[in-house]
Amino acid sequence: QVTLKESGPGMLQPSKTLSLTCSFSGFSLSTSGMVVSWIRQPSGKSLEWLAAIDWDGDKYYNPSLKSRLTVSKDTSNTQVFLKITSVDTADTATYYCALSIPFAYWGQGTLVTVSS
Amino acid sequence: DVLMTQTPVSLPVSLGGQVSISCRSSQSLVHSDGNTYLHWYLQKPGQSPQLLIYRVSNRFSGVPDRFSGSGSGTDFTLKISRVEPEDLGVYYCLQSTHFPYTFGAGTKLELK
């Protein structure tokens, strides 16, 4: 059974760095073809794809945010991380991680609020 | 970026009825490998999105055959027949042919 779960700080101040973790089970990110993506959704709005990392360690970023994003994975291939630098109120959203493309399995999401 | 335009924004429906949602892209979604990477999701209130249809017309595991997808190039449609209460929520289309992947703005299916 595939499960994903996001975790994050809940709230942070503008200009800080947001660090998110996606912990998963039921698959191995070292398996050929596997990809984990990060997607976010401001309250009441649509979805925005942010970044992805694949089984080979290749990374993909949304150009609109690329300079601020870093996606990585742990050596045991059970967690994926996302860092967003210099956050501001526009980064307030629910952040999801999802498996494969199309995004067949999603985590429950973690709400991040950027506020002073 | 590829702009995905969904219509309508809101779609009132009676239980048991049939509805269609349109998704149009600003450029062709036919990939160089010949596949078309257009997918449909449903987000129920308070939940994460769930995959319904992948690559235009393929139902994901466990998705009832009341849901069907069609289309080609830049014009795609999701049809839902015999609408049930659990079908209510916001429907999104997604293209993964071109980077960055982009979603439509959503269509809210609600009871009349």
Side-chain angles (χ1 to χ4, degrees):
Chain A
Q1 180 187 3
V2 172
T3 64
L4 303 99
K5 186 173 184 179
E6 308 85 351
S7 57
M11 181 177 286
L12 75 165
Q13 295 178 329
S15 80
K16 301 297 187 183
T17 295
L18 170 59
S19 294
L20 298 166
T21 299
C22 174
S23 302
F24 53 82
S25 63
F27 68 96
S28 174
L29 191 47
S30 61
T31 301
S32 178
M34 291 296 179
V35 182
V36 172
S37 286
W38 286 97
I39 298 145
R40 71 180 178 181
Q41 185 177 36
S43 179
K45 297 188 178 180
S46 184
L47 300 143
E48 179 181 30
W49 175 80
L50 300 176
I53 187 165
D54 71 14
W55 80 100
D56 209 22
D58 290 331
K59 304 169 184 180
Y60 308 87
Y61 296 104
N62 190 320
S64 67
L65 288 149
K66 183 176 181 178
S67 63
R68 299 172 52 213
L69 300 178
T70 303
V71 64
S72 60
K73 57 179 178 149
D74 71 338
T75 54
S76 64
N77 286 295
T78 60
Q79 290 185 317
V80 169
F81 311 101
L82 181 70
K83 290 189 187 297
I84 306 178
T85 60
S86 304
V87 297
D88 69 10
T89 55
D91 296 307
T92 293
T94 296
Y95 287 77
Y96 298 99
C97 56
L99 171 63
S100 288
I101 297 164
F103 312 122
Y105 300 93
W106 296 63
Q108 64 191 23
T110 185
L111 176 62
V112 175
T113 302
V114 179
S115 174
S116 54
Chain B
D1 297 3
V2 176
L3 178 64
M4 305 297 288
T5 302
Q6 280 185 241
T7 54
V9 172
S10 176
L11 188 50
V13 65
S14 300
L15 295 178
Q18 177 174 298
V19 295
S20 293
I21 300 170
S22 171
C23 179
R24 289 183 172 157
S25 56
S26 59
Q27 55 185 278
S28 174
L29 298 186
V30 180
H31 194 274
S32 55
D33 64 9
N35 290 309
T36 300
Y37 296 100
L38 184 284
H39 324 289
W40 290 96
Y41 298 82
L42 165 61
Q43 187 172 31
K44 299 179 183 180
Q47 295 187 16
S48 306
Q50 58 188 81
L51 178 63
L52 297 173
I53 303 285
Y54 63 96
R55 278 190 277 118
V56 181
S57 59
N58 299 279
R59 276 187 299 277
F60 187 54
S61 175
V63 175
D65 60 6
R66 300 182 291 102
F67 292 88
S68 63
S70 62
S72 62
T74 62
D75 199 350
F76 305 90
T77 301
L78 175 71
K79 287 186 180 177
I80 313 167
S81 59
R82 307 183 303 279
V83 170
E84 298 188 4
E86 58 264 32
D87 301 338
L88 302 179
V90 181
Y91 289 81
Y92 295 98
C93 57
L94 161 74
Q95 69 81 22
S96 61
T97 296
H98 305 284
F99 276 107
Y101 305 146
T102 47
F103 290 86
T107 295
K108 186 173 184 179
L109 187 65
E110 52 194 359
L111 285 178
K112 276 184 182 174

